[in-house]
Amino acid sequence: MAALILAGAATALGVVAADAIYKSVDAQGRVSYSTTAPVPGSAGTVEALRIRTGTEAPPVGVGQGADAGPAALPSPQQAQQALIQAKAALAQAKVHGEDDWQTTPGGQRVSTLEYDQRVTAAQEKVRELEATLERARKR
């Protein structure tokens, strides 16, 4: 539901993605996300979510560090918009693609280092923008 809300918010803000994420819900109500469309008839409901890739520049002042000064802070609305976009990018970063998996010598399937780094970077961006929004609201 949170991913759907983020995708809807991103769409309302005019955010466009290069790739789709497919949300499917099976007969038991289990939700899954994938970068590839499920086989027709294999899922109860399927929805293509379009969110940005995170390559767009944030509003002026966002992410310029705590010492950038009050003049560099965005408005609370700009900061909120940037945070929504970062959360959408985080949701997309968390989707495992085929290249995001590796098999250990013991046969376990685990995430790659690149996947972990991508998710960590997106999480750090969200934390940074949350702090920026808080500062923008206080000025």
Side-chain angles (χ1 to χ4, degrees), residues 66-101:
D67 59 344
L73 278 177
S75 71
Q77 294 81 10
Q78 289 173 318
Q80 181 68 40
Q81 181 180 6
L83 179 59
I84 289 169
Q85 291 172 352
K87 286 182 177 180
L90 174 59
Q92 184 174 358
K94 287 182 175 181
V95 175
H96 277 93
E98 285 302 313
D99 294 335
D100 294 328
W101 295 103

Side-chain angles (χ1 to χ4, degrees), residues 54-121:
T55 58
E56 294 85 359
V60 175
V62 175
Q64 294 180 359
D67 59 344
L73 278 177
S75 71
Q77 294 81 10
Q78 289 173 318
Q80 181 68 40
Q81 181 180 6
L83 179 59
I84 289 169
Q85 291 172 352
K87 286 182 177 180
L90 174 59
Q92 184 174 358
K94 287 182 175 181
V95 175
H96 277 93
E98 285 302 313
D99 294 335
D100 294 328
W101 295 103
Q102 62 186 1
T103 304
T104 66
Q108 286 186 309
R109 192 171 177 199
V110 297
S111 298
T112 63
L113 177 61
E114 292 81 10
Y115 170 84
D116 292 338
Q117 290 172 335
R118 181 178 73 230
V119 171
T120 299

Side-chain angles (χ1 to χ4, degrees), residues 7 9-17 50-53 56 81 84-85 88:
T11 301
L13 294 169
V15 178
V16 180
R50 298 212 175 267
I51 57 177
R52 78 184 195 107
T53 60
E56 294 85 359
Q81 181 180 6
I84 289 169
Q85 291 172 352

